[in-house]
Amino acid sequence: MRSLVIAASLALGAAAAFGASLAQADNLKIGYIDPLSGGGASVGEVGLKHFQFLADEINAKGGVNGQQIEIVPFDGKTNPQESLIQAQKAIDQGIRFITQGNGSSVAGALLDFVAKYNDRNPGKEVLYFNYAAVDPVLTNDKCSFWHFRWDANSDIKMAALTNFLKQRPAVKKIYLINQDYSFGQSVRTQARAMLKEKRPDIEIVGDELHPLLKITDFSPYIAKIKASGADTVITGNWGQDIALLLKAAADAGLQTDFYTYYAGGAGGPTAIKQTGLSDRVFDIVEGNANDAPASAQKTEQEFRDKYGVTLWYPRAVNEMRMFAKAANEAKSNDPKAVAAKLEDMKVEGFDGGEIVMRKDDHQLFQDMFVRSFGPLKPGQKFDEEKTGWGWTTQGRVAGKDTLLPTTCKMERP
Amino acid sequence: MLELITFSTLNGLLYGMLLFMMASGLTLIFSMMGVLNFAHASFYMLGAYFGFEISRRIGFWPGFVVAPLLVGAVGALVERYGLRRVHRYGHVAELLFTFGLAFVLEELVNMFWGKLPVDYRVPPSLDFVAFRLFDTTYPAYRMFMLLVAVAMFAFLIAVLTRSRVGLIIQAALTHPDMVAMLGHNVPRIFMLVFGVGAALAGLAGVIAGPALVTQPSMAALLGPILFVVIVVGGLGSLAGAFVASLLIGLVQTFAVAINVSLADVVGAEAAARLGDLGTVTVAQIAPVIPYLLLVLVLIFRPKGLMGTRET
Amino acid sequence: MSEGAILSWRSWAPWVALALALVLLPRLLSSGSSLTMMSLMGIMIIFALSYNMLLGQTGMLSFGHAVYYGLAGFVAIHAMNAIAQNKWAIPLPVIPLIGGLAGLAFGILFGSVSTRRGGTVFAMITLGVGELVASSSLILRSFFGGESGITANRTKLMPLFGYKFGPQIEIYYLIAGWAFIAILAMYAITRTPFGRMCNAVRENPERAEFIGYSTQTVRFIAFCLAGFFAGIAGALAAINFEIMNALSLGAAQSGTVLLMAFIGGIGLFWGPILGAILVTFLQVTLSDLTGAWMLYFGLLFILVVMFAPGGIAGWLALHGPALRSGRLGRLLPAYALAAVPLAMAAAGAILIVELAHHMLVKASSDGSLVHVFFTTLDGASPWPWLAALALLGVGAALTRLAWGPVRSAWAAVHAASAPVDGPAEAAVVPPAAQGVLPT
């Protein structure tokens, strides 16, 4: 027993020693915390490519304030607690900017962690750039000065979508089907509220919440949608839940339009092509390569040539370009100075139109696009996942029309 | 309403039969070897992926035949070189071995085919509408799945009750020592049963892959439900597994269709006191129902519905 | 370690050493991430030991132990928020006790239905209860906070002696203190008559019944105590992360603690401690090195089940007699002989996994160059593959050959040192350490 307790203590020490920080190079490091193993890895790896690509772009122009940007990946494993450990590791390496996107639960944890860390370690502040977590609460009740969001939150997306539906009189009966967790619920309540306001004539014939990522066969739900006589389905489903929903719909011959948040996510285009629902599946995003300005199309092409995947996150482009601009204008790579410059920054967005980082809540506002997915039309260059199908812009909602009020009471340092 | 009931019944039956295709193998393996095979659903997953890979290269029908055989072979190898070695450490070690195996298989599938669902398609020869009831169509492929499941069920019963091998297996279920003393090679029978059980799960995977979804989490989604089936049905009882499969298939399918919450039954005021519980609909808790059933059965009737022995 | 020797310094020395190590470690490793990791290890040690009260001591295989860890964590988070809001005079170091009591309460609640039977039925009920609780956690939003969870601020509680517990170092000492108490308490329990009854229930439930003990009661008490200590761990996690979410009570967390206890070794008290340290370390750092870390994890687990069912601790303990008789040196040549081909085989296997992982997952965007073992290989050419296969094959074959000398060295050492192995020591090392598991 005795020797073994000692052995155990030594093992503990030795093991922890390995975790100690490594020597630092003289680059401006950005910690990228997203899943790089297990379930979410395929998405996380693509996100990492975006940031490496963008760092290269900025470095080719001389970097920021003379420093080269280096992206340091950390595997957050889509787990909030695990992500916090990785954030701590990043900070230990002297990293003072972190970026993350996958999972609002991780985002909430990181936001909280960064705020507390900065509170307890004045002078060593860390900034957190969020490129994809869309929970509205992050820029409302839980907002923080140290957090900036480049993706439109789910309420903004719904505002844009309902604005678009104003011009679609054919839509009469809507069925809502969403995942049973905070995001799905916020999609559902916002859809109800905003449709009531903007299209009171629309009847909501069904409102379903189903368990998150647990359903293997959606046909019972499809049977219910059919029975309700809906002509349009609105869903915030992502991942397998959107793919399976569409598949079951195609199997049962359901003829409705689908308005989605994430049909464009990994695997989504393949699933839509498989169902044959040509130009009946829509999504709401901040850019569409097929109708983008020439400069954006050029970047898209370079990215595809280099990595063989779609540039999913135009917002990541906006994030990195605005970050470099803010740091260069502030003539400092200090997080506090960068944050001050980012507030109310107005620039030309990657996909055109003016984009603004609102000072009140650190939420970016940008033009939103409603796209449909179908066979490539003449003149369209980009297909998805080698399906031969691509996205067509059906409507564009200006950023100023999506300005929602915020409940954020930001505490500034 | 009528169409909802018809299609829900059909879908529930189909889901139940799929469950039974896997539960039957799991039950056989458990009864004979005492091993609760955690990796059984992983064989289902392997079946779907093998089927996908073969259908992509050659065609659906070769995959339909070859993939289950391949999975069966993998199962037999696992028994021969893994389980048999662990056997002497007892049942807990065997269970843990299959637990680790399930973990590794999922990681391997992740690595080979990626995390995203793969594009496993219904063969064109079965890609048509079987029938139409008021405006809702039912795909032929689902009828085909139902047929395969029923055929497999009939075949299994025939083998177990009519063939010599089946009789030995039945004997080995209850009196393994006696069977061994009669000169039968019990380890080989174990290997055979494990292989066949894996192959059945593989077959379920091959036919379910195109209709449901072929992705690395398919095993983890189904695995626990399988345990529910065989425990609720009664450990070691094939008939029980059959009844429980259908029961759970139907219950889960129909629960989805019911939008009633406690608030609707006892009134909003009384329900408000229950907090979240009051407003949850039956449809929302549909996936939890099997586990509730499992816990209730184990408390009140640990033998399961048709089981003959307590574990 | 006989009962009479409890007061001798020999039995206290390890605890003094442990306490010293816990106090001094942060001096040696003061970086933020070492502190984070050591804090996490402390939590996991308690959690894994509490799990082993079930599996190792009482022979109850649970697939849902994270339920008590997670639920207690949630109670702790809510308690922290309530205390901060109402300005109650309860300092932070008391929170783990609240968590422990919560774990105990849930242990009593679920234990009363699940411990009526042992064996497979018990395992299945824990699986069912685990799934039930995990699924409900997404439905009962006001308590679990949905998938984003509940957060708290530990510094808002009443300061104790001027400490506000903001900095990680203060949290480390809080965790270390509780870990010391919990380890000591759990060890003490194994020395009580009740602890012995647990072992009896594990070894032979029928005989335990015959001598007048209700196995159900023993299981129930063990279950509740395990819940209590898991609750302490859960509350410490809540304090450490200041966030609790539904993942902490899910199947993955239950699987992790099983892995920790088993890889460390369930047959010996300190096995899970080793397992918790090793697995936590691998979880946090291995993911920096390779994207296939989960696969290595699973393979490690299978290898342990197949070849070292006593876990690392069990394997180490086998050397105890040889160490005491001073004959450990005789084993070393044989070990050194076997280690070379074993390392070859391991290197070959790792190379294959890394090559395959790179080619299948990353090659489409990163090209076919693989960085592994400080070199760069081209995964598109057959040569690295052949080399890896050759390493694995030759290594495995040579290991088989080298096994002969190892076995004979063992036989020689064991035969010589067997008499030294006193009966008192044998009682501390249950059969599981020698390769026989509870069934």
Side-chain angles (χ1 to χ4, degrees):
Chain A
M1 184 73 208
R2 178 192 62 241
S3 54
L4 291 159
V5 170
I6 297 170
S9 323
L10 285 179
L12 182 114
F18 274 97
S21 61
L22 300 164
Q24 299 170 23
D26 212 8
N27 287 337
L28 173 60
K29 292 186 190 172
I30 298 182
Y32 173 85
I33 303 177
D34 256 327
L36 297 172
S37 67
S42 45
V43 180
E45 289 281 354
V46 174
L48 179 59
K49 297 282 172 305
H50 281 70
F51 285 95
Q52 283 167 341
F53 180 83
L54 293 160
D56 289 346
E57 182 189 272
I58 294 168
N59 290 340
K61 290 180 191 161
V64 280
N65 297 315
Q67 272 190 304
Q68 295 277 296
I69 293 183
E70 180 189 344
I71 306 292
V72 188
F74 293 91
D75 183 6
K77 308 175 179 99
T78 340
N79 177 327
Q81 297 192 346
E82 197 63 50
S83 300
L84 295 188
I85 297 170
Q86 300 299 333
Q88 181 66 52
K89 271 165 71 180
I91 291 172
D92 230 42
Q93 293 184 23
I95 290 172
R96 301 184 62 189
F97 297 94
I98 57 177
T99 189
Q100 177 274 348
N102 283 293
S104 281
S105 57
V106 176
L110 275 177
L111 180 144
D112 209 48
F113 170 80
V114 167
K116 282 175 191 154
Y117 179 86
N118 292 346
D119 198 31
R120 293 167 194 172
N121 299 276
K124 294 189 198 164
E125 286 84 358
V126 175
L127 268 193
Y128 163 35
F129 298 151
N130 166 5
Y131 72 91
V134 296
D135 193 341
V137 80
L138 300 175
T139 47
N140 282 289
D141 291 351
K142 279 193 182 169
C143 70
S144 155
F145 177 75
W146 309 105
H147 162 256
F148 290 87
R149 167 152 61 192
W150 269 268
D151 198 1
N153 74 37
S154 64
D155 291 356
I156 297 174
K157 288 184 180 176
M158 185 53 75
L161 186 62
T162 42
N163 277 352
F164 173 77
L165 287 177
K166 273 199 276 194
Q167 298 138 25
R168 288 236 158 181
V171 177
K172 296 275 182 225
K173 289 179 171 180
I174 286 184
Y175 199 101
L176 303 172
I177 178 162
N178 286 294
Q179 294 154 326
D180 193 5
Y181 78 115
S182 61
F183 166 67
Q185 289 181 331
S186 98
V187 169
R188 157 201 199 211
T189 43
Q190 287 299 328
R192 278 180 167 273
M194 291 180 179
L195 282 171
K196 196 171 174 192
E197 182 199 325
K198 295 175 189 171
R199 280 288 303 274
D201 58 311
I202 284 182
E203 188 191 348
I204 294 184
V205 291
D207 186 351
E208 190 86 53
L209 286 173
H210 66 77
L212 178 65
L213 302 179
K214 282 238 159 103
I215 308 290
T216 47
D217 183 6
F218 272 90
S219 26
Y221 296 96
I222 297 296
K224 273 172 93 174
I225 296 176
K226 268 224 142 140
S228 73
D231 55 38
T232 300
V233 175
I234 294 183
T235 175
N237 283 12
W238 46 265
Q240 68 181 58
D241 282 344
I242 182 73
L244 291 179
L245 179 71
L246 293 173
K247 206 168 181 176
D251 273 352
L254 179 67
Q255 290 298 318
T256 60
D257 286 346
F258 283 87
Y259 287 92
T260 74
Y261 277 51
Y262 291 117
T270 306
I272 304 174
K273 170 83 186 295
Q274 211 180 341
T275 60
L277 290 166
S278 161
D279 283 313
R280 305 212 64 170
V281 180
F282 300 78
D283 76 349
I284 172 97
V285 286
E286 77 279 16
N288 180 14
N290 277 328
D291 299 294
S295 63
Q297 290 199 336
K298 187 167 161 276
T299 307
E300 173 92 28
Q301 194 59 55
E302 283 167 11
F303 188 79
R304 288 186 178 215
D305 290 346
K306 187 162 181 188
Y307 296 121
V309 284
T310 304
L311 198 153
W312 278 343
Y313 305 119
R315 48 195 185 255
V317 183
N318 290 331
E319 174 186 323
M320 288 296 280
R321 289 182 180 172
M322 283 173 78
F323 163 67
K325 187 166 187 276
N328 281 329
E329 280 180 7
K331 298 199 169 52
S332 158
N333 292 344
D334 180 67
K336 223 162 150 178
V338 173
K341 277 287 170 198
L342 277 173
E343 290 195 317
D344 270 341
M345 180 181 266
K346 285 193 180 91
V347 295
E348 172 83 11
F350 177 60
D351 280 83
E354 187 185 62
I355 60 175
V356 189
M357 178 59 75
R358 185 160 72 180
K359 189 176 179 181
D360 303 343
D361 56 353
H362 293 185
Q363 167 70 52
L364 187 82
F365 287 89
Q366 54 203 330
D367 291 1
M368 299 301 292
F369 298 76
V370 179
R371 316 179 293 181
S372 69
F373 194 66
L376 280 182
K377 321 274 180 297
Q380 290 183 336
K381 277 202 265 181
F382 301 108
D383 73 337
E384 298 299 322
E385 298 180 351
K386 302 185 181 75
T387 52
W389 285 24
W391 294 99
T392 308
T393 304
Q394 298 291 348
R396 178 168 181 165
V397 182
K400 62 178 166 47
D401 294 333
T402 63
L403 286 173
L404 293 175
T406 176
T407 58
C408 171
K409 292 187 193 73
M410 191 162 299
E411 290 173 23
R412 289 163 204 284
Chain B
M1 199 60 208
L2 182 64
E3 60 186 299
L4 196 64
I5 290 173
T6 315
F7 285 107
S8 291
T9 311
L10 268 175
N11 285 327
L13 279 179
L14 180 59
Y15 184 43
M17 288 307 284
L18 265 183
L19 282 179
F20 179 67
M21 286 178 82
M22 282 171 273
S24 55
L26 194 56
T27 298
L28 276 183
I29 291 170
F30 176 75
S31 331
M32 292 192 65
M33 310 168 63
V35 182
L36 263 182
N37 181 13
F38 247 86
H40 206 70
S42 308
F43 290 127
Y44 160 76
M45 172 174 71
L46 277 188
Y49 273 98
F50 286 174
F52 161 70
E53 200 58 45
I54 297 170
S55 78
R56 182 161 77 166
R57 286 159 201 277
I58 311 173
F60 177 83
W61 296 107
F64 178 69
V65 178
V66 177
L69 296 178
L70 276 179
V71 176
V74 171
L77 287 177
V78 163
E79 201 284 330
R80 176 68 186 78
Y81 294 102
L83 266 186
R84 202 176 290 181
R85 196 191 152 81
V86 181
H87 187 69
R88 58 189 145 125
Y89 303 137
H91 290 327
V92 170
E94 288 175 313
L95 216 164
L96 292 175
F97 174 79
T98 59
F99 178 77
L101 185 68
F103 194 87
V104 167
L105 284 179
E106 181 172 335
E107 281 309 306
L108 283 177
V109 165
N110 249 327
M111 212 161 95
F112 275 89
W113 287 282
K115 189 256 167 179
L116 300 172
V118 293
D119 186 14
Y120 189 7
R121 293 187 188 203
V122 171
S125 49
L126 287 173
D127 197 6
F128 58 92
V129 169
F131 64 93
R132 180 183 292 271
L133 186 69
F134 310 103
D135 212 28
T136 305
T137 56
Y138 203 76
Y141 187 75
R142 285 183 174 249
M143 294 307 288
F144 165 73
M145 285 166 73
L146 204 55
L147 265 179
V148 173
V150 171
M152 199 261 345
F153 181 54
F155 174 74
L156 196 67
I157 289 198
V159 167
L160 280 180
T161 54
R162 296 272 180 270
S163 78
R164 202 180 140 69
V165 180
L167 291 177
I168 298 172
I169 289 176
Q170 284 205 42
L173 281 180
T174 47
H175 301 92
D177 299 338
M178 193 64 196
V179 173
M181 276 178 235
L182 287 172
H184 295 288
N185 185 344
V186 172
R188 221 177 74 200
I189 297 176
F190 279 7
M191 191 169 94
L192 184 81
V193 168
F194 202 88
V196 170
L200 282 179
L203 179 63
V206 174
I207 61 168
L212 304 176
V213 68
T214 307
Q215 60 174 12
S217 64
M218 62 196 286
L221 281 176
L222 217 77
I225 302 269
L226 277 188
F227 284 121
V228 174
V229 167
I230 66 163
V231 173
V232 168
L235 282 171
S237 160
L238 264 183
F242 181 68
V243 173
S245 299
L246 291 187
L247 179 73
I248 285 174
L250 287 171
V251 163
Q252 258 193 309
T253 312
F254 271 97
V256 162
I258 305 171
N259 262 343
V260 181
S261 71
L262 265 181
D264 302 327
V265 182
V266 297
E269 238 174 80
R273 262 179 256 138
L274 292 167
D276 299 329
L277 267 184
T279 52
V280 168
T281 64
V282 177
Q284 267 173 281
I285 59 161
V288 187
I289 292 176
Y291 303 109
L292 209 58
L293 198 65
L294 168 78
V295 173
L296 291 179
V297 163
L298 283 172
I299 292 170
F300 294 110
R301 196 180 154 81
K303 285 179 197 169
L305 294 180
M306 309 182 73
T308 47
R309 57 176 172 183
E310 285 198 15
T311 38
Chain C
M1 241 179 262
S2 63
E3 303 295 328
I6 275 184
L7 292 174
S8 78
W9 75 270
R10 281 178 64 92
S11 57
W12 284 106
W15 299 103
V16 175
L18 177 67
L20 271 179
L22 288 173
V23 171
L24 293 179
L25 270 175
R27 312 252 160 192
L28 298 173
L29 308 153
S30 54
S31 78
S33 32
S34 334
L35 277 181
T36 310
M37 199 189 299
M38 288 191 296
S39 306
L40 196 59
M41 284 173 179
I43 295 168
M44 285 304 145
I45 286 172
I46 305 178
F47 189 29
L49 279 176
S50 79
Y51 184 77
N52 206 40
M53 291 182 86
L54 297 178
L55 181 58
Q57 311 290 345
T58 323
M60 301 157 81
L61 175 63
S62 165
F63 286 111
H65 199 51
V67 165
Y68 310 96
Y69 170 84
L71 283 176
F74 274 103
V75 170
I77 280 272
H78 284 295
M80 279 157 75
N81 283 334
I83 291 168
Q85 207 175 7
N86 298 314
K87 305 218 182 315
W88 288 330
I90 302 172
L92 191 71
V94 181
I95 296 291
L97 188 65
I98 298 178
L101 292 175
L104 180 67
F106 286 113
I108 292 172
L109 178 69
F110 294 126
S112 59
V113 292
S114 55
T115 57
R116 289 194 199 165
R117 279 169 191 80
T120 316
V121 173
F122 172 77
M124 287 299 102
I125 300 190
T126 57
L127 186 80
V129 169
E131 288 285 339
L132 256 185
V133 173
S135 306
S136 344
S137 67
L138 287 177
I139 296 172
L140 305 174
R141 236 162 243 106
S142 35
F143 184 73
F144 294 103
E147 98 293 355
S148 52
I150 306 268
T151 55
N153 192 335
R154 63 194 179 209
T155 58
K156 299 286 182 215
L157 273 68
M158 189 186 87
L160 187 71
F161 308 125
Y163 290 114
K164 289 187 76 181
F165 295 102
Q168 188 65 32
I169 181 78
E170 292 171 16
I171 293 301
Y172 167 79
Y173 280 117
L174 175 65
I175 291 173
W178 270 101
F180 185 76
I181 296 170
I183 295 174
L184 193 64
M186 282 188 268
Y187 182 72
I189 289 174
T190 64
R191 316 297 294 171
T192 60
F194 168 72
R196 302 297 194 199
M197 269 328 293
C198 288
N199 297 162
V201 169
R202 174 192 70 200
E203 294 301 324
N204 195 328
E206 273 121 28
R207 283 200 205 168
E209 290 268 5
F210 283 150
I211 52 172
Y213 284 92
S214 156
T215 55
Q216 190 185 329
T217 312
V218 172
R219 277 195 301 264
F220 177 65
I221 296 174
F223 192 82
C224 295
L225 286 174
F228 176 74
F229 287 106
I232 292 179
L236 286 172
I239 292 171
N240 186 44
F241 293 108
E242 303 180 278
I243 181 172
M244 257 322 194
N245 85 338
L247 283 177
S248 340
L249 41 75
Q253 187 76 31
S254 295
T256 307
V257 73
L258 167 59
L259 245 66
M260 284 176 183
F262 202 84
I263 290 178
I266 58 167
L268 290 163
F269 178 77
W270 45 274
I273 301 183
L274 280 189
I277 293 172
L278 180 73
V279 170
T280 308
F281 174 69
L282 290 180
Q283 264 182 335
V284 175
T285 55
L286 207 55
S287 59
D288 289 353
L289 302 175
T290 169
W293 67 277
M294 305 242 278
L295 183 63
Y296 290 116
F297 234 70
L299 289 174
L300 175 69
F301 180 71
I302 287 192
L303 286 177
V304 169
V305 173
M306 284 182 74
F307 297 104
I312 299 170
W315 182 76
L316 286 177
L318 288 179
H319 297 80
L323 180 70
R324 270 187 297 278
S325 63
R327 290 188 174 83
L328 198 61
R330 292 196 199 170
L331 279 173
L332 291 181
Y335 273 7
L337 192 67
V340 177
L342 207 59
M344 272 172 73
I350 291 171
L351 214 51
I352 290 173
V353 170
E354 286 304 309
L355 282 170
H357 181 256
H358 187 93
M359 291 316 287
L360 290 162
V361 179
K362 290 186 164 176
S364 58
S365 54
D366 286 6
S368 62
L369 294 182
V370 190
H371 304 283
V372 60
F373 288 139
F374 315 106
T375 57
T376 304
L377 301 168
D378 185 2
S381 109
W383 296 112
W385 292 88
L386 289 175
L389 275 175
L391 262 177
L392 178 63
V394 174
L398 288 179
T399 308
R400 265 189 109 90
L401 278 179
W403 215 241
V406 172
R407 197 170 288 169
S408 46
W410 253 107
V413 169
H414 212 74
S417 57
V420 188
D421 193 5
E425 195 59 34
V428 186
V429 185
Q434 286 136 23
V436 187
L437 274 171
T439 48

